[in-house]
Amino acid sequence: MKKLIILTMVFAITMFIFSCKKTEDAKTIVYTCQTCKTTPDAQAANDANSKGIYKGVMTGSSGTIMFSVLNGNTSITGTLVVDGVTVALTSTSVWVAGAAFTGVFTGTLSGSSVSITLSVNADGSNPRISALNITGHTGAIFVIVKETSAALLECFEGTYNTTRPETGVFNLIANRTLKVYTGNSLKLTGAGGAGGIFGGVLTATNQLQDGASGGIMGTLNGDVITGTFQDGNGRTVNISASRTW
């Protein structure tokens, strides 16, 4: 009888320890983007011209975009992802050495045509969407950045909420090598403003320091961004985003 009691106690203790270990393991699980690149796609030969890789985030729904302009091949293509739906983009535009590049990219989203025009200075600076037609997303806003061969660009999609109350989309592009980020937010519900473009620097500990206020918005940890801060009116703002590209 005593032996049975002892065996029962040992079993119970073992199961308790195993259960605790599973709980601790679950707490340490951190989201990682399995499909995201870990090194730049951009070719070194294109770092100072308008060829190469351009990445961006979209608000007005939520999405990401990537353009590849003669990046080590003869193709000018793009990929748009809107609310999880992927659209292949093609272009017949011509690239001219030493000149600014304007490329018209087209594709199909849910049976409707998509047209997006990328404009870039001759040296690859100031990439921007100069014309846009996405059915169902007429208010879409893009933030576009050029990737270089020495600095991977990472795209994050997420949300924010405030004690105003207000909720919305919070998307950004991070450059961990140069320690900078830029993005866009868009209000979905609430009485606040419509959101807008923001940016700043990543501190030595990967905190997002806002370029306008100098305050800390959140922290980049692996492929996840989280944070809580006070806006200029003393309201609490919570942000959360995960890397999707």
Side-chain angles (χ1 to χ4, degrees):
M1 185 66 178
K2 288 183 179 180
K3 184 179 290 186
L4 179 59
I5 293 174
I6 292 172
L7 288 174
T8 301
M9 292 178 64
V10 170
F11 178 77
I13 293 171
T14 301
M15 291 304 294
F16 176 77
I17 294 173
F18 179 73
S19 176
C20 289
K21 186 177 186 306
K22 284 184 67 179
T23 301
E24 290 174 358
D25 289 345
K27 289 181 180 178
T28 59
I29 294 175
V30 178
Y31 166 80
T32 300
C33 179
Q34 299 294 333
T35 59
C36 294
K37 297 294 183 70
T38 56
T39 57
D41 285 316
Q43 302 288 308
N46 302 327
D47 285 349
N49 59 50
S50 57
K51 293 182 182 179
I53 298 293
Y54 299 86
K55 294 180 180 178
V57 290
M58 165 190 168
T59 56
S61 292
S62 181
T64 57
I65 196 165
M66 187 274 288
F67 299 101
S68 178
V69 180
L70 303 175
N71 188 61
N73 53 42
T74 58
S75 300
I76 300 178
T77 59
T79 303
L80 169 69
V81 182
V82 181
D83 294 335
V85 179
T86 301
V87 180
L89 301 173
T90 59
S91 177
T92 58
S93 300
V94 177
W95 181 86
V96 178
F101 173 74
T102 298
V104 179
F105 294 78
T106 59
T108 303
L109 173 62
S110 301
S112 298
S113 61
V114 172
S115 177
I116 302 173
T117 302
L118 171 71
S119 295
V120 186
N121 293 349
D123 61 357
S125 63
N126 193 28
R128 59 206 179 275
I129 302 302
S130 54
L132 176 68
N133 183 15
I134 306 176
T135 301
H137 304 276
T138 54
I141 297 174
F142 285 89
V143 176
I144 307 294
V145 181
K146 176 169 182 162
E147 183 175 88
T148 67
S149 59
L152 174 69
L153 293 180
E154 303 174 43
C155 297
F156 293 78
E157 294 181 77
T159 59
Y160 75 89
N161 63 77
T162 80
T163 52
R164 190 179 189 101
E166 180 182 338
T167 65
V169 178
F170 178 87
N171 295 345
L172 65 83
I173 308 167
N175 186 326
R176 299 192 208 218
T177 302
L178 298 181
K179 308 296 284 184
V180 294
Y181 68 90
T182 185
N184 191 41
S185 63
L186 177 69
K187 183 193 73 172
L188 296 179
T189 66
I197 295 175
F198 59 85
V201 300
L202 293 170
T203 69
T205 54
N206 280 333
Q207 291 183 303
L208 279 68
Q209 184 175 33
D210 182 54
S213 68
I216 299 299
M217 298 172 58
T219 301
L220 171 57
N221 181 19
D223 287 344
V224 175
I225 294 171
T226 56
T228 298
F229 62 95
Q230 303 295 313
D231 67 13
N233 295 310
R235 301 184 180 93
T236 299
V237 181
N238 303 299
I239 60 172
S240 177
S242 300
R243 187 180 175 199
T244 56
W245 202 315

